[in-house]
Amino acid sequence: MRVTTAARDNRNQKEERPMNRIRRFCSKAFLAAVCCGVAAAVAAPIAQADFGVSEFGASTSLNGEPVRQAGAHPDLTTHIVFPKLESGEPDGNAKNISVDLPVGLTGNPTVVPACPPFLLVVDGGLNECPPATQIGEVSLRFGESVGPGVPLYNISHSDDVPGLFAFVVLGVPVFIQPTVRPGDHGISAMSTRISQSVPLYSVDVTIWGVPFDHGTGVKERLPFNTNPTSCSTVPSTFTGSADSWQNPGVFHTLSANMDLDGSPFLWEGCDRNAFEPSLVAQPGTHRAASPTGLDVRIQVPQNEGADGIATAHVRRVAVAFPRGVTVSTSAVAGLGACSLVQIGLQDNAAPSCPDSSKLGNVTIQTQLLEEPIAGDVFLAKQKENPFNSTFAIYLVAHGPGFYLKIPGKLDVDKQTGQLTTVFEDTPQLPFEEVHLDFRGGPTAPLVTPDTCGTYRTHVEITSWASPHPVSFDNPMVIDENCSGGGSFKPTLQAGVASPVAGGISPLTIRIRRQDGEQNISRLDVTLPEGELAKLKGVEVCPDALAATGNCGKGSQVGISTTAIGTGAFPLFVPQPGKDPTALYLAGPYKGAPYSLITKVPAQSGPFDFGVIVVRTAINVDPVTTQVIAKTDPLPQILEGVPISYRDVRIEVQKPDFTVNPTSCEQRFVTTTISSIDGATAHPSAPFKVGDCASLDFAPKLAFKVKGGTNRGDYQALTATLTTHKHEANISRVAVTLPHSEFLAQEHIRTICTRVQFADKNCPDGSIYGFAKATTPLLDKPLEGPVYLRSSSNPLPDLVATLNGQFDIELAGRIDSVNGGIRNTFEVVPDAPVSRFVLKMKGGEKSLLVNSRNLCKSTSKAEVKMTGQNGKRASSRPVVRNSCGKKAARAKHRRS
């Protein structure tokens, strides 16, 4: 339709200033509104309650023939008829009319210029919109006959609407406002506050497929309308609805899935739609094992020719990142998440997602709008998202008058951590480029692979026109910080808060690993000699609770803190301000008499993965009594998120629990730390206490023999050691028995071999005595048999096995000095013993035989003891026997 301008030619051609035209337009709009109100009052008596749409139809055609080619550019016509009363008058007055176009059917108002609103109505009720701004025509029926069509113009508009169309009837402008529907992102168009001064029977709106072809003078031959590019077997649907001035807000709706000639809206020929997408995903850094942002650009070249067929719309995008590109735990601290209520996928309101849930920015460039639209990428709330998944994101772009809200699922392989991002059923709208910019820096959401190389990101992009995806690989180069990959050099720090010999002080152990090194898989820690724990009276977590870590407060002996992640700001678990992770004492585990349990809450930021229970077996070296802790393999991945251990801290801080050595010699905390790749490291930390000289050292050792007193009689020996509080522990003991006692070698028959001893399979015949040790550190004494064990020395060793809460072995070397029997315990653990009793058998199992009559003279032993603090104690205690009792009994008989 060519616009008629005769009326304008007959008017005064004097130019008006634009501001005057705006004032004139606003004045006429105000008068029209007043007229509408008066007409409503006059027309109200004829209104009925059942106003509705009696007939609705649509067509996509060219030269009268239906056009169903997907992506083609036909004319679009919608037809609405309102019901009439028997009198022939309309059954009410239409107030608002809305038409919902099928999903994927689009219009492009940028292909024609826009008419300023003040040119719509000028003097005489005519308009001065340039012909090149016309995009179609509108036919209205106010009576029995249809009036001539009036031009439909593309109107310039504010930034808060995607487009604006208008026509003028009876000197009053009527606006058609297109919007993007929330949910399916289809296009809807609505006319509001339609004049009721003249009864409206029907309205037909036609928008041209190619405005250039209608002689309007538009400069470029570009398509305005475009059919959907999805060839579904289900016809598309147009929907028309309207309400009335007499019953506002009550909309009556009719739908049509075929045109007025009965041809269904089944789009066809999707195989003809071009589709050549590309995707480039590049990390924000090319450093190995580093936090990284991500720059993703999806480009789809568009066929914008009027005679061609439009490019297919993108339906699905799946991006499988290479192994090694994983979710970063460092990004979680302080991160928020957006709930379904906050995102509002089914509405057109601004999302109320917290700023802390922003992961990056999105920019979309489409030919349908003059300017790109931009917005944010939000993290979706765990399990509360359209996929009920752990990880999901929302792309939210703010367009003029609408929001595009696109959910995307993040599939994370729970075994490898490989990340795949999938966007399904994306809006059926054309775009030239989507640019996603995920934030970088220390708290970036992703981590690059540990080693350098060229990695491949696999991309599959599917259109609405075909089920077959376009697949390709996109290279990702990591070529910086290459030397860090593969190394394994963890460091160790250890010490006590108060390094005073024999004192009680909290113990801290800290292990750190640098970025880029192999991850830690397990820890073996050996404390220095003498660094022990007072277990007496300490509650132990029951076995029934140990597996879950639900131990009582009484069994807590300390706390643990772990920093995980990459970059300069790893994530500390627990986070600052949260309750510390408790360290509990539990019972036997994997052959060890005790264990430690760490119940780590896997909760940080918006994520809750439950708890991780790590158990550590606690044993002691039977010779040195050094505490040995061996952890279970540390978890390496949780819900697909790798756990990179950067800093592991153990603080044993239970009051009156950790006891310091009484030796001031330089000692070490030693470790064996294993990596996930099989490497081992043995970092150690010096450990030394002071003020040893202030400790006393005055232990007492008493002896008694029992048996015959004559020469050749065999003796049972009892040795009793007692110590006092605040003394240094013993480090060496040498006892030389008096010459009155010889070694009864004839009784040395059965000897336990070292192999048998190691297997705890010594024969009963190798038992020659019994020992019992009482320590203030344990609830019960340690006690067990005394064996003769094979030795590299001429005589077998005398070994006391002390069993109980721990198993200890105390080995003494037997030899002869100056004709006397000597037993030397060269290695005595730096552990407090308040009382030690050694009882050697008599009779046929006795190792001692009298060399003379014991009653003729006093027998004394020679004792030399050295303390852990270096002090010495020497004595010659009397070896008591039964001679005194014999004399007393003889005297009693004589009396």
Side-chain angles (χ1 to χ4, degrees), residues 798-814:
L798 187 71
V799 182
T801 56
L802 304 172
N803 305 315
Q805 290 172 260
F806 292 100
D807 294 338
I808 305 297
E809 60 183 68
L810 191 63
R813 177 170 57 86
I814 302 173

Side-chain angles (χ1 to χ4, degrees), residues 169-237:
V169 58
L170 301 180
V172 177
V174 179
F175 293 94
I176 300 176
Q177 171 64 65
T179 60
V180 179
R181 294 192 299 271
D184 66 2
H185 302 104
I187 306 299
S188 296
M190 174 174 281
S191 292
T192 60
R193 301 185 63 82
I194 298 171
S195 172
Q196 50 187 326
S197 58
V198 178
L200 181 62
Y201 287 80
S202 69
V203 55
D204 290 73
V205 177
T206 296
I207 298 177
W208 298 323
V210 182
F212 181 92
D213 293 343
H214 293 266
T216 61
V218 63
K219 293 181 179 180
E220 294 185 83
R221 189 169 182 270
L222 296 173
F224 190 99
N225 294 328
T226 301
N227 282 347
T229 62
S230 173
C231 296
S232 172
T233 58
V234 178
S236 293
T237 300

Side-chain angles (χ1 to χ4, degrees), residues 84-89:
K84 295 184 295 183
L85 299 173
E86 292 182 1
S87 62
E89 296 180 347

Side-chain angles (χ1 to χ4, degrees), residues 674-804:
S674 303
S675 79
I676 57 173
D677 297 322
T680 56
H682 305 278
S684 62
F687 187 99
K688 190 174 184 179
V689 296
D691 203 20
C692 289
S694 65
L695 296 175
D696 294 330
F697 185 67
K700 302 297 182 183
L701 186 56
F703 297 94
K704 181 176 68 172
V705 293
K706 183 179 181 180
T709 59
N710 296 323
R711 177 185 172 87
D713 289 340
Y714 297 105
Q715 298 296 313
L717 174 67
T718 299
T720 303
L721 173 73
T722 56
T723 65
H724 301 88
K725 291 182 178 180
H726 309 299
E727 282 190 345
N729 301 326
I730 299 170
S731 68
R732 183 182 185 275
V733 178
V735 176
T736 304
L737 294 178
H739 288 175
S740 60
E741 301 299 330
F742 283 172
L743 181 63
Q745 295 194 35
E746 66 274 17
H747 287 172
I748 301 176
R749 298 184 181 92
T750 307
I751 299 175
C752 183
T753 67
R754 287 185 173 272
V755 173
Q756 290 172 326
F757 190 88
D759 292 339
K760 297 183 178 181
N761 193 29
C762 289
D764 292 341
S766 62
I767 299 175
Y768 290 85
F770 180 84
K772 182 177 182 179
T774 302
T775 172
L777 303 182
L778 302 177
D779 292 305
K780 297 179 180 180
L782 303 178
E783 53 189 338
V786 177
Y787 297 95
L788 283 183
R789 186 184 69 184
S790 59
S791 171
S792 58
N793 300 308
L795 294 174
D797 291 336
L798 187 71
V799 182
T801 56
L802 304 172
N803 305 315

Side-chain angles (χ1 to χ4, degrees), residues 275 277-279 298 314-321 420-424 457-463 467-474:
F275 190 63
S278 64
L279 183 148
I298 306 173
V314 173
R315 178 173 186 170
R316 182 180 189 270
V317 178
V319 181
F321 293 97
T420 301
T421 304
V422 181
F423 291 93
E424 296 274 7
T457 300
H458 184 69
V459 181
E460 293 185 355
I461 303 180
T462 309
S463 75
H468 305 294
V470 175
S471 302
F472 51 91
D473 290 333
N474 180 236

Side-chain angles (χ1 to χ4, degrees), residues 84 88 141-146 201:
K84 295 184 295 183
R141 185 159 65 92
F142 299 106
E144 294 300 326
S145 61
V146 178
Y201 287 80

Side-chain angles (χ1 to χ4, degrees), residues 540-541 543 546 586-595 615 617-618:
V540 176
C541 181
D543 289 343
Y589 184 66
K590 291 188 175 180
Y594 285 93
S595 58
R615 199 161 183 179
I618 302 296

